[in-house]
C-alpha cells in the first residue's frame, strides 16, 4: 500500500546540505492503523510531505498503491493525490465561507461530479461522522471537534486508499481528542488505511502500530 525504501531527503541551504531523511525503510499495508511519532527535527513532517505528494525525495524509492512515485509535476501530483489520499489537518483547513456540506463535497467537485450526486454523497459522510444535522452550518458555527469531524468526512468522501492525519487532535481538548480518535478507529475497523502523525503518547497508543522516527531514521516500531 505504502512503501519507502532507503529514502533520503536533503534541503539545500546555501553552501551546505541538510540531510533530513537518512535512509528510511518503512512499509504500511492495506487496512493498517499507524501512528508516526518523533521529536522536532526527527524528519516526520518531511516524510509526511513526501508521502502526501507535497514534496519530492532525493534518492531511494517511494511506492504508493504499487506505483513508484518520482518527480511528478504539480498537475500529476495533484491528480494522483486527489485519487489516492485523504488529508486531515490540525487546523481543520475548512473553507470559512462554505457550510459543512459544501466543504465535504469539495473533493468531488474537483473530480467533476454533478452537484446533486456530490451533495448526496457528502451528506452520507456527514451522517457517518454524526453531523448530518449540522450540514448547513458554517465552520464558525461549529465546535473544534465538529469541525474536525467535517474535515474527516471531507477526507473520506472520495474513498481514498489512505487517510493521512497530521496532528488531528492538536487543536482539541483531551475529551474531544479521544472522541475523534475513536471515530478514526471505527473508520479503520471498516478497512480504511490510516496514518496519524502525532507527538502525543496517549494518542499514538490508540493506534495499532507506532513508528518512531529519530534523526531521520526509523528508530523503533511498536505493536499496540
Amino acid at each position: 500500500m505504502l512503501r519507502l525504501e532507503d529514502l533520503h531527503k536533503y534541503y539545500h541551504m546555501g553552501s551546505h546540505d541538510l540531510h533530513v531523511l537518512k535512509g528510511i525503510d518503512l512499509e504500511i499495508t492495506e487496512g493498517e492503523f499507524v501512528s508516526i511519532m518523533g521529536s522536532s527535527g526527527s524528519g516526520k513532517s518531511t516524510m509526511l510531505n513526501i508521502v502526501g505528494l507535497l514534496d519530492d525525495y532525493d534518492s531511494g524509492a517511494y511506492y504508493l498503491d504499487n506505483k513508484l512515485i518520482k518527480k511528478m509535476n504539480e498537475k500529476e501530483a495533484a491528480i494522483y493525490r486527489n485519487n489516492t489520499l485523504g488529508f486531515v489537518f490540525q487546523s481543520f483547513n475548512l473553507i470559512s465561507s462554505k457550510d459543512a456540506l459544501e466543504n465535504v463535497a469539495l473533493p468531488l467537485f474537483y473530480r467533476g461530479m454533478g452537484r446533486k450526486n456530490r451533495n448526496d454523497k457528502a451528506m452520507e459522510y456527514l451522517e457517518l461522522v454524526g453531523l448530518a444535522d449540522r450540514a448547513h452550518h458554517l465552520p464558525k458555527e461549529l465546535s473544534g471537534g465538529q469541525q474536525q469531524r467535517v474535515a474527516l468526512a471531507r477526507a473520506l468522501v472520495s474513498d481514498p486508499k489512505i487517510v493521512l492525519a497530521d496532528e488531528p487532535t492538536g487543536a482539541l481538548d483531551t475529551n474531544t481528542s479521544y472522541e475523534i480518535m475513536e471515530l478514526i478507529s471505527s473508520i479503520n475497523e471498516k478497512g480504511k488505511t490510516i496514518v496519524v502523525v502525532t507527538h502525543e503518547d496517549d494518542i499514538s497508543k490508540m493506534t495499532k502500530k507506532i513508528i518512531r522516527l529519530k534523526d531521520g531514521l526509523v528508530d523503533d516500531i511498536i505493536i499496540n
Side-chain angles (χ1 to χ4, degrees):
M1 177 58 68
L2 185 162
R3 189 168 80 253
L4 309 179
E5 297 177 351
D6 193 28
L7 199 82
H8 290 258
K9 174 68 179 180
Y10 296 85
Y11 287 117
H12 307 294
M13 304 178 68
S15 60
H16 70 283
D17 292 336
L18 180 63
H19 197 181
V20 181
L21 300 182
K22 303 174 182 177
I24 295 279
D25 288 301
L26 176 64
E27 184 169 7
I28 295 171
T29 58
E30 186 172 359
E32 283 201 286
F33 185 17
V34 176
S35 56
I36 296 174
M37 296 194 71
S39 61
S40 179
S42 64
K44 67 180 188 297
S45 296
T46 298
M47 191 179 81
L48 184 72
N49 284 341
I50 292 170
V51 168
L53 307 181
L54 300 170
D55 199 358
D56 204 356
Y57 55 93
D58 291 296
S59 65
Y62 170 30
Y63 294 90
L64 177 59
D65 197 26
N66 294 318
K67 176 180 173 66
L68 177 63
I69 305 299
K70 185 64 176 171
K71 296 191 184 306
M72 287 184 170
N73 63 41
E74 202 168 308
K75 183 177 180 180
E76 290 170 336
I79 292 169
Y80 200 67
R81 193 163 51 236
N82 194 37
N83 289 335
T84 312
L85 300 170
F87 291 89
V88 180
F89 302 95
Q90 176 178 342
S91 55
F92 320 133
N93 284 19
L94 301 178
I95 297 175
S96 61
S97 61
K98 294 185 179 294
D99 65 24
L101 185 72
E102 292 169 318
N103 268 285
V104 174
L106 202 56
L108 303 177
F109 170 79
Y110 290 123
R111 285 192 175 188
M113 186 179 288
R115 179 188 294 271
K116 184 181 187 307
N117 287 341
R118 69 175 182 260
N119 285 349
D120 287 348
K121 193 165 186 182
M123 183 61 80
E124 177 187 333
Y125 278 85
L126 281 174
E127 288 172 358
L128 177 69
V129 301
L131 280 183
D133 60 337
R134 296 289 188 270
H136 299 296
H137 286 64
L138 295 172
K140 68 181 180 181
E141 299 170 325
L142 303 172
S143 69
Q146 288 172 333
Q147 289 185 63
Q148 196 58 294
R149 285 172 180 264
V150 172
L152 185 57
R154 180 185 58 191
L156 292 167
V157 73
S158 56
D159 193 25
K161 302 279 187 181
I162 302 174
V163 173
L164 300 176
D166 186 10
E167 301 281 2
T169 62
L172 306 175
D173 63 63
T174 300
N175 287 339
T176 306
S177 294
Y178 291 165
E179 288 175 3
I180 291 296
M181 286 302 294
E182 286 167 4
L183 177 58
I184 291 173
S185 180
S186 71
I187 290 163
N188 167 255
E189 291 294 335
K190 296 175 181 177
K192 187 65 66 182
T193 308
I194 298 177
V195 180
V196 175
V197 174
T198 182
H199 66 276
E200 299 172 279
D201 283 326
D202 54 341
I203 296 300
S204 70
K205 288 173 181 174
M206 297 179 75
T207 67
K208 295 175 181 175
K209 180 193 288 185
I210 302 172
I211 298 169
R212 293 186 182 275
L213 300 187
K214 183 178 180 180
D215 297 329
L217 289 165
V218 174
D219 183 55
D220 196 13
I221 297 177
I222 301 164
I223 307 298
N224 286 333

